[in-house]
């Protein structure tokens, strides 16, 4: 197995790779990801690939670079609207209010790039997340207790639920900071870690596939 480099300083992605016992180093990409109002698969793939390519081109030894990009998508009429990282608490409130009682989609694009050859592989993973109806007070308290400004869609799945052998349990931090409140998330269809930042199953399958095509 080649040396693996994560082209991201995301604490959540670092945590996921560490949980999977994947040995890696972090080299933050300088690529400025593009933001889009409406979702298109080619857009998110472009972001993850360019993150990985930016780092791969700066490395002079044989290694495999992982780039990733995650988007939260809400269907509004005939439009697939991208809920990006909020600029302030007011925008975060509006996003969470809009997600209340609805099912949205979380899409993560993963790109692998070999440093010397620049050969690449990019795939996406989709997970559907359903929020229960939320009161304004619950949303306001969540914004006060947690930091939604660095998270697409203004929330982090790990704030509400933790994944373990018994599927999901209420996150201890959520239970502590919002003791009178149930998880905002009522249902997850798909990969929990994909919502958190990168799908472990997808990544492992891609690493195996990449070894075959190189």
């Amino acid at each position: 197995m080649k040396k693996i480099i994560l082209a991201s300083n995301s604490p959540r992605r670092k945590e996921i790779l560490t949980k999977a016992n994947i040995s890696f180093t972090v080299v933050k990409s300088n690529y400025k990801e593009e933001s889009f109002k409406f979702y298109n698969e080619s857009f998110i793939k472009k972001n993850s690939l360019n993150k990985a390519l930016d780092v791969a081109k700066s490395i002079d030894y044989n290694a495999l670079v992982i780039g990733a990009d995650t988007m939260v998508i809400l269907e509004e009429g005939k439009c697939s609207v991208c809920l990006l990282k909020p600029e302030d608490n007011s925008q975060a409130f509006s996003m969470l209010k809009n997600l209340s009682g609805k099912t949205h989609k979380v899409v993560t694009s993963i790109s692998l790039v070999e440093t010397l050859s620049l050969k690449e592989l990019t795939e996406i993973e989709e997970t559907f997340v359903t929020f229960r109806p939320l009161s304004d007070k619950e949303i306001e308290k969540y914004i006060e207790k947690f930091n939604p400004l660095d998270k697409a869609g203004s929330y982090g799945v790990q704030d509400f639920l933790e994944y373990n052998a018994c599927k999901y349990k209420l996150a201890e931090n959520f239970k502590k900071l919002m003791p009178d409140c149930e998880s905002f998330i009522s249902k997850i269809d798909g990969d929990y870690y994909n919502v958190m930042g990168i799908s472990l199953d997808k990544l492992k399958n891609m690493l195996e596939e990449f070894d075959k095509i190189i």
Side-chain angles (χ1 to χ4, degrees):
M1 177 69 74
K2 298 180 181 68
K3 185 172 182 179
I4 292 178
I5 298 171
L6 177 62
S8 170
N9 203 33
S10 163
R12 291 168 288 278
R13 292 192 180 115
K14 288 189 285 187
E15 179 184 344
I16 292 169
L17 265 64
T18 300
K19 282 179 180 286
N21 295 316
I22 295 175
S23 179
F24 68 97
T25 57
V26 172
V27 178
K28 186 179 178 181
S29 176
N30 292 316
Y31 173 74
K32 187 175 180 180
E33 63 187 47
E34 295 185 52
S35 298
F36 306 98
K37 184 175 181 180
F38 301 109
Y39 174 71
N40 186 296
E41 186 177 307
S42 64
F43 297 161
I44 191 170
K45 285 183 173 180
K46 179 182 177 182
N47 274 345
S48 67
L49 179 58
N50 283 338
K51 287 179 186 179
L53 280 170
D54 178 72
V55 170
K57 290 176 180 178
S58 71
I59 304 297
D60 60 1
Y61 54 86
N62 196 18
L64 195 58
V65 180
I66 301 171
D69 189 37
T70 299
M71 291 183 179
V72 175
I73 315 298
L74 182 63
E75 299 297 329
E76 296 186 347
K78 295 182 179 180
C79 298
S80 299
V81 178
C82 299
L83 302 184
L84 308 172
K85 295 176 183 177
E87 296 180 359
D88 52 35
N89 286 350
S90 176
Q91 196 173 74
F93 179 90
S94 295
M95 284 190 195
L96 292 170
K97 185 74 172 176
N98 209 12
L99 291 172
S100 173
K102 299 176 185 174
T103 297
H104 61 275
K105 179 169 65 176
V106 180
V107 184
T108 298
S109 177
I110 305 173
S111 294
L112 303 180
V113 177
E114 189 180 49
T115 54
L116 300 184
S117 69
L118 296 185
K119 290 181 179 179
E120 55 90 6
L121 175 66
T122 298
E123 295 184 7
I124 63 168
E125 182 74 13
E126 298 181 349
T127 303
F128 292 88
V129 179
T130 302
F131 270 27
R132 64 173 175 80
L134 308 174
S135 69
D136 289 358
K137 187 174 182 180
E138 286 176 315
I139 296 173
E140 289 166 355
K141 189 173 181 181
Y142 172 75
I143 292 170
E144 176 190 347
K145 297 294 183 181
F146 294 85
N147 176 24
L149 301 185
D150 68 336
K151 302 178 179 77
S154 302
Y155 79 93
V157 66
Q158 68 281 358
D159 293 339
F160 307 114
L161 299 170
E162 294 173 347
Y163 187 87
N164 62 10
C166 299
K167 202 66 172 175
Y168 305 115
K169 66 175 182 178
L170 192 65
E172 289 299 320
N173 202 35
F174 184 77
K175 192 185 300 183
K176 177 181 177 182
L177 295 176
M178 299 182 68
D180 300 323
C181 184
E182 293 296 321
S183 169
F184 286 13
I185 297 172
S186 61
K187 187 179 181 182
I188 297 176
D189 289 319
D191 191 323
Y192 169 91
Y193 289 113
N194 187 54
V195 186
M196 191 172 168
I198 193 167
S199 167
L200 273 180
D201 289 341
K202 174 68 75 174
L203 177 60
K204 289 176 179 178
N205 289 338
M206 287 178 67
L207 290 171
E208 292 176 5
E209 184 179 348
F210 201 83
D211 279 341
K212 295 176 184 176
I213 65 176
I214 294 300

